[in-house]
Amino acid sequence: MSLEGKVALITGGSGGLGRVHGLVLARLGCDVALTGNRNLEKAEAVAQEIRDMGRRAIGVKMDVADEVEVSQGVEKVTRELGPIDILVNNAAFGIVRATKIVDMKKADWDRDVAVNLTGAFNTIKAVMPSMMERNWGRIINVSSVTGIMGGYGQCSYAATKAGLIGLTKTVALEGARNNITCNAVVLGVFNGGSFYEVAEPFRERIIKRIAMRRAGEPEELSNVIAFLASEESSYLTGEAIVVSGGLDLFTF
Ligand SMILES: NC(=O)c1ccc[n+]([C@@H]2O[C@H](COP(=O)([O-])OP(=O)(O)OC[C@H]3O[C@@H](n4cnc5c(N)ncnc54)[C@H](OP(=O)(O)O)[C@@H]3O)[C@@H](O)[C@H]2O)c1
């Protein structure tokens, strides 16, 4: 499997999992742009790690909820690395928020929807026309098991992650005749990143309900994303692939 000659844009490249996705795609030969919003310097540090591997990479400031910033960011990536072949919509907000719907502030709901769902709409809109012109593209949306199972105290997060699955299937349909595939990865829990913001007793409780009895390592997800980004997955589109070590399976 090779991603030689491809350019990838990873949103949330300043975050725990986004960093590892960047490193794994780069290892397969890809040039990579990583976005940061509040922590741009972290995205730039990952870009430096990738340049040290001999690939081209940049950090890009992008609030994915801001349509203008997204389109300016995509222009910058295109200018500096070339047109985007692979888009990984990994940025998210409110990941570990635990607020029951009766206590949820509308402003928090609106922000989560703006980043997690409208953010993916904005980035897809910005990159898809060029993919269509070039008759090739890979779009991978990062969803969550909360999108298929619900999440206690996570109404906005779960709703946006479910929304991403509907968006994925629609983009898959609209891109299919231009060799653009669009798939979602539906995550359980992974070491690093936002999972470590969850208090340890809760992490242990979550792990007890996973069939494999452990959180995933980030690379175990990045490898799935790399496959979905590659030519080798050319006939796979519109799928929501659960990567959870069996968190969504009945266990006891
Ligand atoms: N870790 C897990 O166990 C787990 C489980 C299920 C799903 N996920 C999903 O995996 C993805 C990555 O999660 P993570 O654990 O790596 O989380 P993380 O470390 O908290 O990273 C979140 C990323 O999203 C970015 N982001 C937040 N708001 C943004 C905005 N308005 N515009 C652009 N970027 C924004 C952050 O950028 P700045 O910090 O620069 O603002 C950061 O790079 C998310 O989609 C999350 O929902 C993770």
Side-chain angles (χ1 to χ4, degrees):
M1 210 162 75
S2 167
L3 299 177
E4 202 77 43
K6 302 291 187 203
V7 173
L9 172 65
I10 302 175
T11 69
S14 54
L17 300 185
R19 168 180 171 270
V20 183
H21 303 333
L23 296 175
V24 168
L25 295 194
R27 207 185 294 146
L28 290 167
C30 202
D31 294 329
V32 185
L34 306 118
T35 78
N37 186 36
R38 295 152 301 178
N39 296 292
L40 177 61
E41 71 293 345
K42 287 191 185 165
E44 282 170 342
V46 182
Q48 185 58 53
E49 280 187 82
I50 293 175
R51 287 195 294 273
D52 292 343
M53 294 162 66
R55 307 251 46 106
R56 296 183 307 152
I58 56 171
V60 188
K61 164 74 177 83
M62 193 187 280
D63 176 352
V64 292
D66 181 335
E67 193 179 9
V68 175
E69 236 177 68
V70 168
S71 107
Q72 287 169 348
V74 166
E75 275 168 30
K76 179 181 159 83
V77 177
T78 307
R79 222 172 28 245
E80 295 189 22
L81 299 182
I84 294 161
D85 305 294
I86 298 160
L87 168 66
V88 184
N89 274 318
N90 164 76
F93 197 73
I95 306 175
V96 296
R97 179 180 295 123
T99 310
K100 285 185 268 183
I101 191 161
V102 290
D103 300 321
M104 181 90 177
K105 292 193 183 77
K106 180 162 179 300
D108 288 335
W109 166 277
D110 285 345
R111 184 67 187 153
D112 293 350
V113 172
V115 175
N116 302 358
L117 192 52
T118 311
F121 165 80
N122 287 338
T123 54
I124 292 168
K125 256 199 96 165
V127 303
M128 205 164 158
S130 154
M131 288 178 174
M132 288 177 119
E133 272 169 30
R134 289 173 298 124
N135 233 24
W136 202 91
R138 296 284 183 268
I139 298 171
I140 298 122
N141 295 322
V142 177
S143 178
S144 153
V145 288
T146 60
I148 53 174
M149 300 169 72
Y152 192 92
Q154 292 195 292
C155 62
S156 54
Y157 182 71
T160 60
K161 293 300 187 180
L164 281 174
I165 295 174
L167 179 67
T168 296
K169 291 178 186 290
T170 303
V171 172
L173 281 164
E174 295 180 8
R177 293 180 201 178
N178 292 91
N179 290 313
I180 299 167
T181 68
C182 182
N183 293 286
V185 280
V186 181
L187 277 57
V189 294
F190 285 85
N191 286 319
S194 53
F195 186 49
Y196 281 0
E197 288 169 35
V198 177
E200 202 182 338
F202 289 101
R203 288 211 302 269
E204 283 170 14
R205 277 164 62 171
I206 294 169
I207 285 168
K208 277 190 190 140
R209 60 172 294 169
I210 301 173
M212 288 187 173
R213 296 290 192 275
R214 65 176 178 87
E217 292 306 323
E219 286 210 12
E220 294 180 298
L221 173 66
S222 307
N223 291 336
V224 177
I225 290 178
F227 173 64
L228 294 174
S230 72
E231 182 54 35
E232 280 74 6
S233 65
S234 51
Y235 203 55
L236 175 53
T237 196
E239 291 299 326
I241 298 165
V242 181
V243 189
S244 75
L247 190 154
D248 59 323
L249 303 174
F250 178 74
T251 185
F252 51 88

